[in-house]
Amino acid sequence: MKHSSLAHRFPLCISFAIAFSLVFLCAAKPVAPPAEKPASKTPVLADLSSDEMVRRALEDSLYYDYEKWFALFKDKVRELESAPPTLENKMELMKYYFFLAGLYTEYSHTLAFTSKFSVASVKKDFGFYIKRTKAIAQEILDRPGLGEAHKADAYLYLGASEGYLGIFEYGAGNFIRALVNGFQADNHLEQALEIKPELLDAHLGLGIYRYGNSRLGGMGNFFMQGGKDRRREGVLHVERAIKKDALTRPLALKTLVWFYISEQINPKNQNLKPPHPMSKKLCRNRAVQLIKIFEDVYFKPGARDGFVGNKDLAMMKAIQYVLDGEYALAGKEFENIVSIAKYLKQEKNYPVNPQLIATALQGKLFCDLMTGGSSSKGKSRRSCVKINQQIDFLDGGGSFVDYDFKKIQSEIQDVFHDKLTRLSGDLNC
């Protein structure tokens, strides 16, 4: 079978942030990020600690509320850049540089960046702030007499920035630099935890690294991890970040849901039965449980006026429903993605990838065919034409889901393809 993904890329899975949110590969026409509103100098925001700011900013990003945080973090950066170069000021500046890079990461994910679609200005700003993070972290570590607590924090942000840069370099075709950054990221995150085990966010980075390299395999895993299968180890790192309420908990929840969805279709798990933790049944149960936790914790009904939904949540639910054969429910989630994309374009004026709506509509058509094909009314020549058109669409490189890892996206596409092929056979198309 011949498919290619909407996102033609094979990253090394060495990012500190969510594994499926950012690979910057090619430029588009420069489009500015959301218009920045003046930061409100109120105790509610400006006087919060840096940790509390990033926690709130990440939660707001789930509701596509970026503008005030871009403005506030940039205000903080300007203040700290003008302040005396004390150790504490440098530590804070390092954090805010990284927060801005992370915010641009989440924004790029909202815009549905792929290898064929990106926004040049967003790429540029991300690159600037993540490189500044790495430079200041290294500068801090080079200070004589640095205390252990400061050293651990500097290693955390150094490893995190190297993880991001590894993906950036891979996307630019700089494979050696990507490998070097990835290897350094792993080492520095481990060093951070050795010094300060309570740095929970390091577990997310290590979890992504351990799981992703093992899942994707190939030469990357051979060079990075000696070819070892460390999927379970990676999963447990991310589980710990969730259970201990790390600052990056919403990102960890999304990451882990996709890990467990991925394991349900992983050919390596085909013959595994419970109580093996990577068996299809247990992975399915945990994915469903985590989706519910993510929804219950962050998306209480009526929490935000005018909010139409989160497309990450809708996509996770849609794919899990497809795996479960709940096609009507999956179809509703694909419809939700269309509504969310239209909201982002029309109400938020975000330069969203135009393929996002087209991809979701194909997913909805798939669900309609699967639902109608199982009924007597669905057994028609017209259904066969549509089914075969979708099979041809997939074989020609089309996609029902935007996913950053080519190997795993191909496996997800195989699920859709196999279901359509079986339906075609059942209807004697």
Side-chain angles (χ1 to χ4, degrees), residues 21 61-64 66 103-113 310-312 340-341 344 350-353 356:
S21 62
S61 74
L62 300 175
Y63 290 88
Y64 311 121
Y66 292 102
L103 206 58
Y104 278 109
T105 299
E106 291 308 300
Y107 182 52
S108 73
H109 187 50
T110 296
L111 302 183
F113 274 26
N310 179 277
K311 68 181 177 69
D312 294 325
I340 294 164
L344 292 172
Y350 287 178
V352 178
N353 186 345
L356 178 60

Side-chain angles (χ1 to χ4, degrees), residues 74 123 157 189 193 261 348 356:
K74 287 180 180 181
K123 285 192 345 179
Y157 285 92
L189 291 173
L193 280 174
I261 286 175
K348 298 289 289 184
L356 178 60

Side-chain angles (χ1 to χ4, degrees), residues 228-245:
K228 295 179 181 178
D229 184 352
R230 305 179 77 173
R231 287 175 296 147
R232 181 61 180 163
E233 179 185 341
V235 164
L236 292 176
H237 273 296
V238 184
E239 288 275 14
R240 183 168 182 178
I242 292 169
K243 290 176 182 176
K244 298 294 185 178
D245 196 26

